[in-house]
Amino acid sequence: MKHLVTGGAGFLGAALCRSLASDGVAVRSLDNLARGRAERLDGVSGLEQISGDVRRYADVQGALEGVSVVWHLAAINGTRNFYERPDEVLEVGLKGSLNIVDAALEAGVKRLIMFSSSEVYQRAETLPTPEEVALVVPEPSNPRYSYGGGKIASELIALHMGHFRGLDVVIVRPHNVYGPDMGEDHVIPELTMRLVRASREQGRAEVTLEIEGAGTETRAFCHIDDALRGLRLIAAQGVAGEIYHLGTDEEVRISDLAESIGESLGLKVRLAASPRRRGSTQRRCPDIAKLKGLGYVPSVSLQKGLGDVVKWYAERVAGGPNGQV
C-alpha cells in the first residue's frame, strides 16, 4: 500500500516518512516547501517527493493517485504564526482538510489519519485532559485561535464529511512533539537560542532571560521517537472514528524547562517575567490512557531527550558550526 504524507518535508512529516520507508512502505510526500525543507528527506529510500499545495485541489488529487493511506499533517504551526499570519493559518487548515477529504473519497483511499493539535484545548478544566472534554474557541476575534479553531473545524470535516461518507478516519492530537531540526517557532528551540545569545551578550555563565508570563505555564513534551512509536500503533490499531492523544503525561513548568535547557548549555538561568500574550494557555497536559490501551508506553523522558535537541540548536542554529556558546 502506498502512503501519502502531506507536509512531508516538515519536522514531524519528514520523521514519519523516514519511519514508514524504513518499514518498507511505499511513501509519497506532498509539500509546497514554504516552511518544510526537502533536505530533511535526503536519503529516504524509495520516497517520492511531490511539490504541491494542499490548498489546490488539483495538487491533492494528483498526489492521491494510487494511495491507500493518507497522513494529513500539512499546516502552518508555531505560536508566532498564529498571531501574525492567521489568514494563512486558517486557509491552509480549512482548504487543506476539505481538499484532502473530498479527494480521498474520490480516490477510494482506505484510511485517513488526520492530525489535529493540542491547541484545540484552550481552557481545559480537567488535567490531565482526556479526549472527551469540550472544545471551545473562547474569543473568535483573537488571532491566536486561528490554529486551534481551524483544527477543531478540520476534525469536524474529517469525521462528519469523511468518516460519515465511508472514509476510515482516525484523529490524532499531538502534544508538543520535539526533536532536533523541529524549526524555530517552538518553545524549546526558542529558549535555547535566546539563552545562547543572552550568554554572549551578558558575557557570563549566569544569565537573565525574560520569558512570557511568570514561567508557571505548563506543557507536556513528547520526544519524536515516542511520537513515531505512538503513530505506528494508531495506524495499525486505531479505531475508525476515534480520537487519540499523542504525547506524554509529564507536565512541566516552562520555568523548569528553561532551567533544564540552561543546565544543558552550562548556564545558570534567572528568569524575568513579562506580560502573557492574550489567549495564551496556562496549563496543558494530555491524558494518554486511550493510546496506552493500544500498547503505547513513552520511554524518552524530557530529561533524557532534551540534551541532544539543545545541542543541535546550540551548534547548528545558535552557536555556529563549532557549537561554542
Side-chain angles (χ1 to χ4, degrees):
M1 295 194 301
K2 181 168 287 187
H3 291 224
L4 173 69
V5 179
T6 71
F11 162 61
L12 182 53
L16 177 59
C17 286
R18 288 185 178 278
S19 178
L20 292 170
S22 70
D23 287 341
V25 175
V27 186
R28 178 182 293 158
S29 165
L30 175 67
D31 202 303
N32 66 0
L33 301 181
R35 298 181 71 243
R37 298 203 325 276
E39 55 266 32
R40 284 190 172 118
L41 297 170
D42 286 349
V44 180
S45 177
L47 174 72
E48 179 185 0
Q49 294 189 57
I50 295 178
S51 179
D53 195 316
V54 294
R55 291 172 290 186
R56 292 193 292 265
Y57 188 76
D59 289 359
V60 175
Q61 191 178 39
L64 280 172
E65 185 176 346
V67 167
S68 298
V69 179
V70 178
W71 304 75
H72 182 43
L73 288 81
I76 298 177
N77 61 9
T79 305
R80 184 182 305 166
N81 291 319
F82 307 162
Y83 288 99
E84 297 179 0
R85 303 166 61 189
D87 56 336
E88 295 176 77
V89 169
L90 275 169
E91 185 179 34
V92 171
L94 298 181
K95 284 187 177 179
S97 295
L98 283 167
N99 286 341
I100 285 290
V101 167
D102 284 344
L105 287 166
E106 179 184 4
V109 167
K110 296 183 182 300
R111 169 162 278 207
L112 167 62
I113 302 172
M114 174 69 76
F115 279 66
S116 182
S117 169
S118 61
E119 286 284 332
V120 299
Y121 303 113
Q122 300 301 332
R123 299 175 183 173
E125 296 181 0
T126 303
L127 284 154
T129 305
E131 290 89 344
E132 296 78 17
V133 303
L135 306 183
V136 177
V137 178
E139 189 182 3
S141 62
N142 187 338
R144 167 65 187 246
Y145 304 127
S146 56
Y147 187 73
K151 286 298 186 182
I152 293 172
S154 294
E155 291 190 17
L156 294 173
I157 290 167
L159 290 170
H160 303 299
M161 292 179 65
H163 187 65
F164 185 78
R165 294 174 178 174
L167 184 61
D168 182 339
V169 171
V170 180
I171 306 291
V172 180
R173 292 177 183 159
H175 281 65
N176 292 88
V177 178
Y178 72 98
D181 195 17
M182 64 183 293
E184 300 180 14
D185 296 326
H186 306 277
V187 63
I188 290 175
E190 182 180 344
L191 286 174
T192 299
M193 292 185 293
R194 290 183 61 213
L195 281 170
V196 170
R197 293 185 187 117
S199 175
R200 288 174 170 175
E201 292 168 0
Q202 297 173 30
R204 57 181 184 271
E206 181 175 325
V207 298
T208 300
L209 184 73
E210 184 178 277
I211 61 169
E212 181 180 338
T216 56
E217 296 80 5
T218 68
R219 297 294 183 267
F221 297 92
C222 178
H223 191 271
I224 185 64
D225 292 347
D226 280 335
L228 292 173
R229 281 190 284 270
L231 289 175
R232 291 186 186 195
L233 287 169
I234 290 170
Q237 302 177 39
V239 177
E242 292 293 328
I243 300 167
Y244 295 88
H245 283 156
L246 176 67
T248 70
D249 50 11
E250 179 188 1
E251 188 176 5
V252 178
R253 296 199 317 174
I254 299 302
S255 59
D256 294 334
L257 174 67
E259 290 174 2
S260 294
I261 292 172
E263 289 176 8
S264 295
L265 294 168
L267 302 173
K268 183 176 178 58
V269 180
R270 293 183 179 276
L271 298 176
S274 68
R276 292 169 55 204
R277 283 179 286 192
R278 186 165 55 98
S280 178
T281 303
Q282 180 65 32
R283 293 180 65 191
R284 190 178 290 148
C285 180
D287 183 332
I288 57 174
K290 196 169 182 179
L291 187 53
K292 283 183 174 179
L294 301 183
Y296 175 69
V297 180
S299 61
V300 184
S301 67
L302 184 62
Q303 182 179 11
K304 179 180 178 181
L306 194 58
D308 287 343
V309 182
V310 171
K311 180 180 178 182
W312 193 94
Y313 279 95
E315 290 181 350
R316 304 193 187 194
V317 179
N322 296 321
Q324 296 177 351
V325 176

